[in-house]
Amino acid sequence: ADFDARVKKTAEIEKVDYIVELKLDGLSISVFYEEGKFIKAVTRGDGKVGEDVTENIAEIKSIPKYLKNKINIEVRGEVVMPISSFEELNKRREENGEELFANPRNAASGTIRQLDSKIVAERELDCYFYYIADGGNYGIKSHYEALKFISDIGLKSAGNYTLCSSVDEIEITIKKWEEARHNLPYETDGMVIKVNEYRLYDILGT
């Protein structure tokens, strides 16, 4: 509620829409397409310099080699290991006398940093996209539009997001997911509340 009040005061407006989305517990990556073709993938790293993981990311089946549109674009997503894949992986490691992974996030992160890309393919990682760098270049004016655009060009979005117009709606959404998240095929580690309209970002700061 305090955040909502600060946003309205700073932007000098009376109504603000928010997107409330699940925060997936995995490894953040940026994927680059040129003329719609997959060319590169890097980890977030320290926020400025990431690790090139192109060869391994190319083995994730849910990341297309070609988009539906021939555009140059950078999209950010979360690489996750589905809970079923994680349990199967640890079962095999236990049978082989190998050290078990503590959780799916560590398993996903460790897999992406493997030197052998064949191992990545075997471990059935998944990826969900949630952000477009420089969305304004594609006529996108809000985060809601960006999430729709991600799906339209053939990328996978988690789909677990809600457009909210009040703090009450935000709280209802959070309460809903406190229970529902336990039925998802992957782990989450919170929720993210984002101002929807991009025009407000320059005023508020990102």
Side-chain angles (χ1 to χ4, degrees):
D2 288 343
F3 173 67
D4 179 56
R6 285 199 305 273
V7 167
K8 289 174 179 175
K9 182 178 179 181
T10 305
E12 298 181 340
I13 52 178
E14 294 182 2
K15 183 178 179 296
V16 180
D17 288 336
Y18 298 94
I19 296 289
V20 182
E21 57 189 317
L22 283 170
K23 184 173 180 294
L24 277 57
D25 194 14
L27 177 73
S28 296
I29 59 160
S30 284
V31 178
F32 298 82
Y33 287 86
E34 283 186 6
E35 291 293 307
K37 182 182 179 181
F38 170 86
I39 59 157
K40 184 172 69 171
V42 295
T43 64
R44 183 171 58 190
D46 61 5
K48 293 181 179 179
V49 179
E51 182 181 348
D52 190 321
V53 288
T54 304
E55 194 173 336
N56 285 349
I57 292 298
E59 294 293 337
I60 299 176
K61 293 175 184 175
S62 57
I63 300 180
K65 300 295 187 295
Y66 293 91
L67 300 177
K68 292 179 180 178
N69 307 43
K70 290 188 175 181
I71 54 175
N72 299 335
I73 194 168
E74 175 192 348
V75 282
R76 292 176 196 161
E78 197 82 0
V79 173
V80 296
M81 178 172 286
I83 294 169
S84 58
S85 300
F86 169 72
E87 291 172 347
E88 180 62 31
L89 173 62
N90 263 354
K91 181 183 175 184
R92 291 200 305 268
R93 291 178 73 85
E94 186 174 25
E95 289 169 354
N96 295 332
E98 298 172 313
E99 186 178 352
L100 302 185
F101 284 110
N103 51 58
R105 184 190 187 283
N106 286 5
S109 182
T111 300
I112 289 302
R113 291 184 168 89
Q114 287 283 335
L115 295 177
D116 185 354
S117 60
K118 291 178 183 176
I119 293 175
V120 181
E122 291 170 0
R123 291 185 180 176
E124 299 179 342
L125 296 179
D126 208 344
C127 185
Y128 297 88
F129 293 93
Y130 58 84
Y131 180 77
I132 297 173
D134 302 318
N137 292 346
Y138 312 95
I140 297 169
K141 296 180 180 179
S142 70
H143 187 54
Y144 188 79
E145 287 181 15
L147 292 168
K148 294 292 186 187
F149 189 82
I150 284 170
S151 297
D152 289 345
I153 61 176
L155 292 170
K156 194 172 182 180
S157 95
N160 297 323
Y161 56 87
T162 307
L163 182 64
C164 298
S165 299
S166 69
V167 172
D168 286 344
E169 287 183 16
I170 290 171
E171 289 179 345
I172 289 168
T173 302
I174 290 171
K175 283 177 182 175
K176 181 189 84 170
W177 281 111
E178 278 178 348
E179 291 299 321
R181 69 189 180 92
H182 297 295
N183 299 320
L184 294 168
Y186 45 76
E187 290 196 340
T188 64
D189 61 344
M191 302 200 73
V192 186
I193 303 165
K194 299 176 182 175
V195 172
N196 185 40
E197 288 188 72
Y198 284 168
R199 69 179 181 85
L200 298 177
Y201 285 30
D202 289 337
I203 301 169
L204 299 169
T206 56

